[in-house]
Amino acid sequence: MILEVVSQLTETAQAVIYLFRQDDTLKARLASFSNADLLTEDFKAEAKHVHVLYEGSRKVFLIGLGKSPKEADFVKILRSFFYKQKKTLPDTIGLSLIKGGIEFQWVEAIANGCIVGSYDLGLYKTDKSAEFNFFECTPKIQLETAESGIESIIESARIGEMTALTQIRVMDLMNAPSNKKNPLALADWAVESGQKYGYSVAIFDEKKCEKIGLKALVAVSKGSKNPPCFIVMEYTHPQATQKIGLVGKGVTFDTGGISLKQSTNMHYMKSDMGGAAAVLGTIELAAKLQLPVHLIGIIPTTENSIDGLSIKPGDVIGSYSGKSIEVIDTDAEGRLILADGLSYARQNYELDCIVDLATLTGSCVATLGYAAAGLFTNNESLAQSLYESGVQTGEKLWRLPLWDDYKDELKSDVADVKNFHGKPIAGAIVAAKFLEVFVDEHANWAHLDIAGTAFGDSEFGTMKSATAYGVRLLTHWLRRQV
Ligand code: BES
Ligand code: ZN
Ligand code: ZN
């Protein structure tokens, strides 16, 4: 355990953090600090503002939360503080909620932010000691609350910590480059996680994928020496009432194939398994938290690479659904493998709800930027509940339409559907309409296009890196489904 809830900080906490809202109680709350008059001049508790002072030999950090902070603000502010200060923090740090009068409802978010903020991107740096270990390098945190004995507070801290540790594992997977991460590496991750946290994982290798007719997945994989695979995970709980399918795009590197991408920013395409990462993380966390749900996780995973054997523009391929697909653009590969993932989910399980996640289109990034993922759904109450979880967790979603006005864009002259309409308009929507064909009229389906949110700018580095987008969003949503 990194985080411990205490009624009073001990001597071992050589530094202390206090959190303050920017409201009219601020002055009174700061009065207990020495030189309080000067302090109120310097520290206005604006969001992210950090003020340092000393109480005896103890270093004290006052952190501003701004006006009426929400769950997502607590996470963001603590994450950024811990990241920036991590080299200067002592082995044990106190975080007191008492002087700032911070309510217990924020404990989970605070715990989560502190731990994710200790993340280190330097996975492959050689100057680290061989035993580099996240737990040894992360300060222990004593969380001081007025009602430290209350079970629900300890539980919240524990949930925040468990969530963070899974997010960090997901971030490591996302940040791994393609020469350290192929489809079988995703399968290994799932198998190890399933063994550790008690859920079942089946891996279909290339032969099995061919045999059962995952033709679109196999077609996309043709350009790579690394074989594809299909991961099926199942977590259940005796009190589960809902059976929910989660399908994630697992392209471990997307060159575009023969419709080759430009090289600028192509390196970011190691993150084209962001949907898979979100599904892996959510199922691991659901199992750790023993959520009372039944989850089926499905990950078609492959590289989209370029070779003499690659599928070529104009090729017609089959699919698990039996429908034929004309491949106009080999860079629109995500929807091909998801088509098989969705059909497989549909044909082999009676699901109450299906949610797929994919780093699917540049068009979604052009529409919503990096602030929100695209939400497409045929169900109003699912739209509402997912949207709300997005607002609460800060992993935001914004709904885009699935109207049939866009349906004709999928018409192919030679096959049942085509994978790209060849126009520079409505790309994210047409991609979602393509997926809808393979959802086969399931009445409770949502597609999340996370191309702009899975990998982004952050405190962790100078370039884009993993955000673990989807793990907190889906876990929050699942906790409300029971
Ligand atoms: N993996 C990409 C989408 C993507 C773009 C993810 C930017 C993250 C950041 C996807 O496979 C792709 O290449 N989509 C094409 C589709 C087009 C060729 C129809 C796109 O959006 O440009
Ligand atoms: Zn692509
Ligand atoms: Zn892709």
Side-chain angles (χ1 to χ4, degrees):
M1 288 273 279
I2 295 172
L3 221 123
E4 187 194 357
V5 180
V6 298
S7 55
Q8 201 169 19
L9 301 179
T10 68
E11 288 289 300
T12 49
Q14 295 138 10
V16 189
I17 298 166
Y18 296 103
L19 305 174
F20 292 96
R21 281 195 199 85
Q22 193 175 22
D23 60 19
D24 7 313
T25 67
L26 181 64
K27 199 168 174 196
R29 291 192 183 284
L30 293 177
S32 70
F33 290 97
S34 53
N35 236 343
D37 284 345
L38 269 182
L39 183 56
T40 47
E41 304 267 299
D42 292 341
F43 181 70
K44 307 261 183 289
E46 283 143 349
K48 287 198 177 183
H49 183 210
V50 177
H51 186 89
V52 181
L53 52 94
Y54 285 87
E55 282 185 319
S57 62
R58 221 181 217 176
K59 195 171 183 180
V60 173
F61 297 94
L62 309 184
I63 303 181
L65 297 167
K67 290 178 185 136
S68 20
K70 307 274 183 314
E71 179 181 325
D73 304 310
F74 277 93
V75 171
K76 224 187 286 166
I77 290 169
L78 282 152
R79 190 195 265 212
S80 138
F81 172 82
F82 268 79
Y83 187 78
K84 285 194 193 122
Q85 299 289 340
K86 72 178 179 183
K87 293 215 171 73
T88 69
L89 296 180
D91 294 345
T92 302
I93 183 155
L95 197 161
S96 178
L97 302 186
I98 297 170
K99 286 192 182 176
I102 305 299
E103 304 82 6
F104 312 123
Q105 76 186 98
W106 306 118
V107 165
E108 184 184 324
I110 291 169
N112 186 263
C114 295
I115 298 171
V116 175
S118 307
Y119 183 66
D120 190 333
L121 256 186
L123 271 181
Y124 306 101
K125 288 196 191 288
T126 53
D127 62 355
K128 275 181 191 161
S129 83
E131 297 91 60
F132 174 80
N133 177 321
F134 178 79
F135 292 96
E136 283 163 21
C137 300
T138 302
K140 296 267 177 293
I141 301 158
Q142 289 184 356
L143 188 68
E144 186 185 49
T145 76
E147 291 169 77
S148 58
I150 293 178
E151 198 50 46
S152 64
I153 299 174
I154 298 169
E155 176 72 0
S156 296
R158 200 181 64 95
I159 295 175
E161 174 167 342
M162 285 203 280
T163 307
L165 295 178
T166 290
Q167 284 174 282
I168 283 167
R169 273 166 50 68
V170 161
M171 284 152 77
D172 275 349
L173 193 62
M174 283 285 282
N175 290 324
S178 89
N179 63 336
K180 310 273 183 196
K181 165 183 73 187
N182 55 30
L184 291 179
L186 296 198
D188 287 345
W189 196 103
V191 169
E192 279 164 27
S193 170
Q195 277 165 356
K196 188 157 179 201
Y197 298 110
Y199 61 92
S200 70
V201 179
I203 308 297
F204 302 170
D205 62 8
E206 185 173 20
K207 254 200 173 139
K208 172 109 190 245
C209 292
E210 271 167 9
K211 190 166 164 222
I212 67 170
L214 294 164
K215 292 182 182 166
L217 172 64
V218 172
V220 171
S221 77
K222 286 294 176 203
S224 174
K225 277 219 169 78
N226 286 315
C229 68
F230 195 77
I231 306 172
V232 181
M233 295 173 280
E234 180 161 8
Y235 159 74
T236 192
H237 186 278
Q239 267 124 46
T241 52
Q242 292 237 40
K243 195 169 183 178
I244 295 168
L246 299 176
V247 184
K249 168 178 172 182
V251 174
T252 55
F253 195 85
D254 184 9
T255 66
I258 300 287
S259 315
L260 190 62
K261 285 184 181 295
Q262 286 185 353
S263 54
T264 325
N265 291 336
M266 202 207 272
H267 56 98
Y268 287 139
M269 285 300 120
K270 67 180 181 181
S271 69
D272 208 17
M273 30 59 74
V279 172
L280 289 168
T282 303
I283 294 190
E284 171 170 296
L285 189 54
K288 275 161 87 172
L289 301 178
Q290 285 291 295
L291 299 186
V293 286
H294 188 166
L295 297 178
I296 305 294
I298 290 177
I299 296 173
T301 170
T302 177
E303 274 181 6
N304 185 24
S305 208
I306 181 161
D307 181 75
L309 296 176
S310 295
I311 46 167
K312 298 168 192 72
D315 283 2
V316 175
I317 61 172
S319 67
Y320 190 79
S321 69
K323 289 195 162 60
S324 60
I325 305 169
E326 183 182 10
V327 181
I328 300 294
D329 194 310
T330 65
D331 197 11
E333 84 298 339
R335 65 197 76 182
L336 301 176
I337 69 167
L338 278 178
D340 277 358
L342 289 165
S343 305
Y344 185 89
R346 200 69 182 90
Q347 289 181 31
N348 293 279
Y349 299 93
E350 277 299 322
L351 297 167
D352 296 303
C353 178
I354 306 177
V355 179
D356 77 70
L357 299 99
T359 47
L360 203 65
T361 66
S363 157
C364 192
V365 189
T367 307
L368 298 171
Y370 303 102
L375 164 64
F376 300 84
T377 175
N378 53 5
N379 186 296
E380 297 307 309
S381 79
L382 184 57
Q384 191 60 28
S385 60
L386 281 169
Y387 173 77
E388 280 165 14
S389 290
V391 172
Q392 289 291 321
T393 57
E395 297 189 349
K396 296 195 282 295
L397 291 164
W398 191 255
R399 195 171 179 188
L400 294 168
L402 269 176
W403 298 317
D404 277 343
D405 304 54
Y406 301 96
K407 204 171 166 186
D408 283 353
E409 305 291 1
L410 304 175
K411 279 189 180 154
S412 160
D413 292 337
V414 297
D416 297 334
V417 280
K418 62 182 176 193
N419 78 334
F420 178 42
H421 60 331
K423 300 175 192 168
I425 52 168
I429 304 173
V430 175
K433 289 303 281 181
F434 180 90
L435 298 181
E436 185 185 50
V437 172
F438 300 89
V439 171
D440 197 18
E441 296 183 354
H442 191 292
N444 200 14
W445 160 66
H447 157 59
L448 316 187
D449 190 333
I450 62 170
T453 53
F455 219 63
D457 295 327
S458 72
E459 53 278 285
F460 300 125
T462 56
M463 304 210 303
K464 289 187 193 304
S465 65
T467 61
Y469 181 96
V471 175
R472 287 178 54 246
L473 168 75
L474 291 179
T475 308
H476 184 278
W477 176 75
L478 287 172
R479 283 163 77 188
R480 300 203 158 181
Q481 294 310 295
V482 295

